[in-house]
Amino acid sequence: MANYIIALFLGVGFGFSLNKAGLTKYYKIVNVFRFTDMAVLKFMMTALAVSMTGLYIFRGLGWINFPSVPPTYIVGNLVGGLIFGVGMALTGF
Amino acid sequence: MNWFKTQISKEMWSPYIAGILLGIIGLLAVLLSNSLLGASGAFESLAGLIGKNITPALFSNIYWGVEGARSLPIMRPEITWPVILLVGVFFGGMLGAFTSRTFEFRFNDDAQWKKIIGPQPWKRWVIAFFGAILLEYAAGIAGGCTSGLAISGGMLLAPAAFLFIAGMFASGIVTALVVYGRRY
């Protein structure tokens, strides 16, 4: 139960940050593929850098164990990514 | 305090600041729940849950699990942690719009979309519908979406995440080229 309450609060933070980064807007998403507005990439890479650094520090301190890492399946990941890009550039989601 | 108020009521933050916030949220998800942020999996769990209640035979497969089978399903057809997260995302996005006073019901209001594809709302809805099917299908194949695989996988340095990002940008750029044509 407590886990679900945590999920709800984290979700609110997640949605809030997406909204404030402007990722809920069509033009923000599609313009990253046109190289005219790189906000999506700046947002994603900053999030990656922050959480990556934190995770490895926390693991070093022994506070966490990594959750199961998404499995590598080269064809699946790549083909999935290719189809995903089409949908993303079309709809701007 | 006033400074805080001005920041909260801004419609858009610097992507770096918003990114730091998301990074902290992603970190807290692992620290507090040992879970990864994701969006697409929640829809798959919900689809499985609904499908299993309507046509159990059709939805009895390795993806959503077979009754009495010993192997675990790939996507549990239940109200899972990501489903609750998704509910939070809905309200979080709303909160963002309320704080910047930009909340309203829109059908097709993006100036760039209107210019390139057309002002008719039905076009937006049809393309959104079929595009979303592509997105969810692709996320199913790859094992996650932009948040669940690219960001959450990336922060664990999973190779899958970087393969996915490469594919996403390669086809996204080509699609944008096709859609925008000479206006690219």
Side-chain angles (χ1 to χ4, degrees):
Chain A
M1 194 59 214
N3 228 357
Y4 280 0
I5 295 166
I6 291 168
L8 196 63
F9 276 99
L10 291 175
V12 169
F14 186 16
F16 186 78
S17 69
L18 288 173
N19 182 285
K20 289 297 183 194
L23 262 74
T24 46
K25 296 177 168 64
Y26 165 77
Y27 74 92
K28 278 278 176 192
I29 303 279
V30 80
N31 284 355
V32 75
F33 295 124
R34 299 169 69 215
F35 303 104
T36 53
D37 181 352
M38 302 309 276
V40 175
L41 216 52
K42 290 173 187 166
F43 172 75
M44 267 176 65
M45 292 303 145
T46 313
L48 258 182
V50 169
S51 48
M52 202 186 272
T53 317
L55 277 184
Y56 279 85
I57 290 174
F58 286 175
R59 190 175 70 162
L61 293 172
W63 293 359
I64 52 168
N65 291 312
F66 277 3
S68 59
V69 177
T72 309
Y73 168 48
I74 295 173
V75 179
N77 302 142
L78 206 56
V79 171
L82 285 170
I83 302 173
F84 199 87
V86 175
M88 205 168 159
L90 275 180
T91 59
F93 291 154
Chain B
M1 197 62 211
N2 256 333
W3 175 87
F4 184 74
K5 256 187 193 160
T6 357
Q7 296 307 315
I8 285 287
S9 58
K10 269 190 188 163
E11 187 185 356
M12 233 179 267
W13 289 357
S14 150
Y16 299 117
I17 304 295
I20 291 172
L21 178 63
L22 179 61
I24 293 170
I25 301 279
L27 201 51
L28 284 177
V30 177
L31 193 62
L32 301 177
S33 294
N34 199 34
S35 307
L36 294 171
L37 298 179
S40 53
F43 290 103
E44 286 161 22
S45 285
L46 282 177
L49 184 64
I50 296 168
K52 272 202 183 282
N53 278 308
I54 300 171
T55 53
L58 190 64
F59 280 77
S60 193
N61 50 36
I62 53 162
Y63 204 73
W64 283 297
V66 181
E67 204 68 38
R70 256 190 298 156
S71 61
L72 285 168
I74 298 172
M75 272 299 153
R76 281 185 297 134
E78 300 159 15
I79 303 292
T80 51
W81 195 88
V83 175
I84 306 294
L85 185 81
L86 194 70
V87 176
V89 169
F90 176 80
F91 288 111
M94 234 181 195
L95 183 71
F98 276 128
T99 50
S100 58
R101 300 223 169 79
T102 49
F103 181 86
E104 62 178 301
F105 287 94
R106 304 151 204 253
F107 296 96
N108 186 23
D109 76 322
D110 194 286
Q112 188 174 320
W113 175 284
K114 282 183 180 166
K115 206 171 115 204
I116 301 294
I117 297 162
Q120 307 92 324
W122 70 265
K123 271 192 189 166
R124 178 80 179 110
W125 285 67
V126 170
I127 295 176
F129 182 76
F130 288 103
I133 292 177
L134 273 185
L135 286 175
E136 197 55 50
Y137 181 66
I141 297 177
C145 55
T146 331
S147 45
L149 186 56
I151 296 177
S152 301
M155 71 195 197
L156 300 168
L157 294 173
F162 298 99
L163 283 166
F164 181 77
I165 295 176
M168 185 174 103
F169 271 90
S171 69
I173 290 163
V174 173
T175 310
L177 261 172
V178 171
V179 172
Y180 280 73
R182 280 191 303 119
R183 289 163 296 187
Y184 184 76

